[in-house]
Amino acid sequence: MAEEEDKTEQGTPRKREKAHEEGRSARSRELVSMVTMGGILSVFFLAGTSFLQNMAGLTGRLLGLRYGRDSIAVMRSVSSEVVMILAPFFAVAVLLAILTSVAQGGIRFTPLTLKFERLNPLNGWKNIFSATGLPGIIKTGIKFVIGIILFYLVIKKIIFLLPMTVAMNLSDIQTTAFGLTGKAVAYAFTTFFVLALADFVYEWWKFERSLRMSKEEIKQESRESEGDPLVKAKIKNMQREAARRRMMEAIPKATVVITNPTHIAVALQYRKDETSAPKVIAKGKGVVAEKIKELARKHGIPLVEDRPLARALVKVDLDDFIPADLYRAVAKILAYIYKLRGVA
């Protein structure tokens, strides 16, 4: 209960999107049923005479043995005619059911899965009397009571008119009967359609309530969408570590390491026939600088102390060529190194 009270904020677009992906929406099955029923009644109202005539003709042909005496042949012929007669009703019912479902949140096809817990009768009773099942029982009870009231009013009307039918001919009795039936259907449909609209409003309210979020949930979602700062920092540290590891692996290929001498170390690589200018392949300060110098000594890479040059080179991005204004200073160092090595 306390958890529900904490959820005071409206659902975010992301939560609504996830609800749609899960197939959850404000959907009323009652409204789908009543709209479909309304479509069927409309077809019957517009083409009821034709429908009754077709059914009467079919019955007459069937009783007159127009289809023969072979039961299978009769069944095939009658079935095909019944399907043709009822086709408009089925078509309108299916079309309106689809349109109403789409209007309430779309149609979602989910694979059928067998859940054995649903087969347990105890779980069934628990669901019926749970917080989600009780509203369904209440709605069914309301519809049952209203149905009883409508049935009572119709029967009362029929009983009131029954003595008058003695003086009526058959045509008047049929007209009266059809009139009472039409009114009863209209009253019942209107009443239950209003209940279906109320059910949709309730389902919409329940759906919106299920989307509510606490302020902490909104913050968590924001962190997940933008990236958790802790996770981002961890990833950044891992990237830095990987770059540092690749940098240290490149030091054995260096031509010279320029130092500060203790605070800065920059490893340069230059190949006369391969590169147009020296390139920074490793650099660092403090502990990293000490590591670079340690690896340089291990692999016989010359260490040259030049404080101004080291401070300038450490500003160059890794794997970039040195700027043109440093060419002369670096060239002097390289020439000195090549002289020591006896390289022309």
Side-chain angles (χ1 to χ4, degrees):
M1 194 70 181
E3 184 179 351
E4 290 295 326
E5 292 176 356
D6 290 340
K7 296 184 177 183
T8 56
E9 308 301 315
Q10 292 293 328
T12 61
R14 174 55 186 156
K15 187 159 186 180
R16 291 180 182 276
E17 182 182 346
K18 289 174 71 174
H20 179 72
E21 292 172 358
E22 295 169 0
R24 294 191 296 113
S25 61
R27 191 187 302 273
S28 171
R29 295 179 182 176
E30 305 289 338
L31 186 59
V32 175
S33 301
M34 293 311 301
V35 171
T36 304
M37 180 61 68
I40 294 173
L41 292 175
S42 299
V43 174
F44 190 82
F45 176 77
L46 296 173
T49 304
S50 176
F51 169 75
L52 293 175
Q53 289 174 351
N54 291 333
M55 291 301 294
L58 176 63
T59 304
R61 290 190 296 273
L62 183 62
L63 295 176
L65 301 179
R66 298 282 185 86
Y67 302 105
R69 297 178 180 275
D70 185 356
S71 59
I72 296 178
V74 171
M75 187 180 299
R76 289 176 179 172
S77 300
V78 172
S79 299
S80 61
E81 288 196 35
V82 170
V83 169
M84 293 301 296
I85 293 172
L86 296 178
F89 297 94
F90 286 126
V92 169
V94 172
L95 179 62
L96 288 177
I98 293 174
L99 291 177
T100 309
S101 296
V102 171
Q104 291 186 91
I107 298 177
R108 182 177 178 82
F109 298 97
T110 54
L112 294 175
T113 55
L114 180 62
K115 295 184 178 181
F116 292 99
E117 61 269 17
R118 292 184 177 179
L119 301 178
N120 189 341
L122 294 177
N123 290 337
W125 283 104
K126 289 178 181 178
N127 292 333
I128 290 174
F129 295 103
S130 65
T132 56
L134 282 175
I137 296 176
I138 294 172
K139 287 188 291 184
T140 303
I142 292 173
K143 289 189 292 184
F144 179 77
V145 171
I146 292 175
I148 292 294
I149 294 173
L150 290 174
F151 180 75
Y152 167 75
L153 294 176
V154 170
I155 294 299
K156 184 179 178 181
K157 187 75 172 178
I158 292 174
I159 292 175
F160 176 75
L161 292 175
L162 198 57
M164 300 180 186
T165 59
V166 176
M168 294 181 183
N169 56 34
L170 182 60
S171 177
D172 292 336
I173 292 174
Q174 288 178 341
T175 302
T176 303
F178 279 123
L180 285 173
T181 304
K183 286 182 179 179
V185 171
Y187 291 154
F189 175 77
T190 303
T191 303
F192 286 110
F193 186 77
V194 171
L195 288 176
L197 289 176
D199 181 64
F200 173 74
V201 173
Y202 168 74
E203 292 295 333
W204 176 84
W205 172 82
K206 188 170 68 171
F207 175 69
E208 290 294 323
R209 195 163 181 263
S210 70
L211 294 178
R212 286 182 185 175
M213 303 172 68
S214 64
K215 293 181 179 179
E216 184 58 34
E217 286 175 330
I218 293 178
K219 290 179 182 178
Q220 180 64 27
E221 184 184 273
S222 178
R223 285 196 294 266
E224 290 175 357
S225 60
E226 296 177 1
D228 193 322
L230 296 177
V231 175
K232 289 174 70 175
K234 188 174 182 180
I235 292 174
K236 206 167 184 179
N237 288 335
M238 292 173 65
Q239 291 173 339
R240 277 200 296 264
E241 186 61 32
R244 185 177 300 170
R245 190 164 51 250
R246 289 194 301 271
M247 184 177 70
M248 295 302 176
E249 291 173 355
I251 290 175
K253 302 176 184 178
T255 304
V256 63
V257 173
I258 311 298
T259 66
N260 194 21
T262 57
H263 299 90
I264 299 174
V266 180
L268 301 178
Q269 182 188 50
Y270 179 64
R271 299 288 184 267
K272 286 184 179 181
D273 301 328
E274 297 178 9
T275 56
S276 58
K279 181 171 64 174
V280 176
I281 61 172
K283 65 176 183 175
K285 299 179 180 179
V287 177
V288 178
E290 292 298 324
K291 184 65 176 178
I292 290 173
K293 290 189 288 184
E294 179 185 339
L295 289 173
R297 295 188 189 98
K298 181 179 179 181
H299 295 284
I301 308 298
L303 297 174
V304 177
E305 179 183 341
D306 190 323
R307 297 187 180 188
L309 183 58
R311 285 195 294 268
L313 288 172
V314 81
K315 298 177 183 178
V316 180
D317 291 335
L318 203 62
D319 292 327
D320 278 1
F321 294 106
I322 65 172
D325 57 343
L326 298 180
Y327 280 179
R328 180 171 295 184
V330 173
K332 289 181 180 179
I333 294 174
L334 293 177
Y336 173 71
I337 293 171
Y338 290 151
K339 184 177 180 181
L340 290 178
R341 292 179 175 176
V343 178

